[in-house]
Amino acid sequence: MLRSILFCLAATLLTSAAMAQASGSPTLDAVRARGFVTCGVSGTNPGFAFPDNRSEMRGSEAEFCRAVAAAALGDAGKVRFVVLTSTNRFTALQSGEVDLLVRTATWSLARETSLGLLFAGTTFYDGTAFMVHSSAGVKSARELDGATICILPGTTTELAVADYFRRTSMRFTPVLIDNVSELRAAFRAGRCDSYSTDASALASFRFGEGPRAGDYVLLPEVISKEPLGPFVRKGDDKWFDVVRWTHHAMLAAEELEVTSSNVQEGLASANPDIRRLLGVDGDLGRSMGLDNRWAFNVIRQVGNFAEVWDRTIAPLGIPRGQNRLWTQGGLQYAPPIR
């Protein structure tokens, strides 16, 4: 009898220890103690992260922040947005001012090896492009020899543009302004012949110009690879898992045709992939220190990848292109959730 009691007690202690290990994330613990996720965003890009007329942050990057909150806390509304510039964004994450950075940041070797940060997944495949004034009559980046180009400092655009002009044996003069609003104002005023950044950000800028959108032309050349997505601090693998697999869950939901409107019905599905995704079968959430319904909460409160795209990015006129699912010829691919 005593042996049985001791065996049961030992089993209970082992189970408790395993659960404690599974949820052992300093960032996740801090998020739970605080009651919300702090998320670094730009706050300047319509379609990605931009406050609406009620000062609510809207856009695909803001929605991803909400998705992480839904996964970690079960409530997509438990997120605080911190507006960051291109130069202070990584410092804010390194110092712990934010729990994750979701601010049009490119995955690169230097950033992942020298900043103490990890890239948690490509949520948007992009590339550096050029915008010009339509009145200039320029049709190609090959016509920009000798041009002045507005660029945000501290971005991968600086290197991409310099490399492009070196490859094409052309000259240019960079106009570096560390404030996106001032940079765009300089471009509007004609201080620069061209404005260069990620193609998505250029489309976002033009969309935000409303009736003046026709004053600007996005040139056809895309001169670099810019995989964009969230960054987290190194050394907290469990939090990295939460952020990375939140994106994968949204992709898997799209592939399985699970949406915010039918996710409740999915709980009764016979499809084993849907049952594991929604936490009906298995213990996958607990392995990350989360509730097993973590993905259910993400999909129900935020939606799958396509739903977020359709309500945030599609209105900008940006085609999904490389951001289609792999089953549709794109690059977005969720590993097995099992």
Side-chain angles (χ1 to χ4, degrees), residues 178-202:
D178 185 23
N179 179 291
V180 69
S181 297
E182 294 176 7
L183 184 78
R184 290 170 175 175
F187 175 60
R188 288 189 197 97
R191 284 183 56 194
C192 316
D193 300 310
S194 176
Y195 170 25
S196 183
T197 185
D198 297 333
S200 62
L202 293 174

Side-chain angles (χ1 to χ4, degrees), residues 293-313:
R293 296 289 176 91
W294 65 280
F296 172 86
N297 291 330
V298 170
I299 299 160
R300 180 170 62 87
Q301 297 178 42
V302 179
N304 66 30
F305 188 82
E307 289 181 275
V308 172
W309 182 283
D310 289 344
R311 69 173 179 261
T312 61
I313 298 175

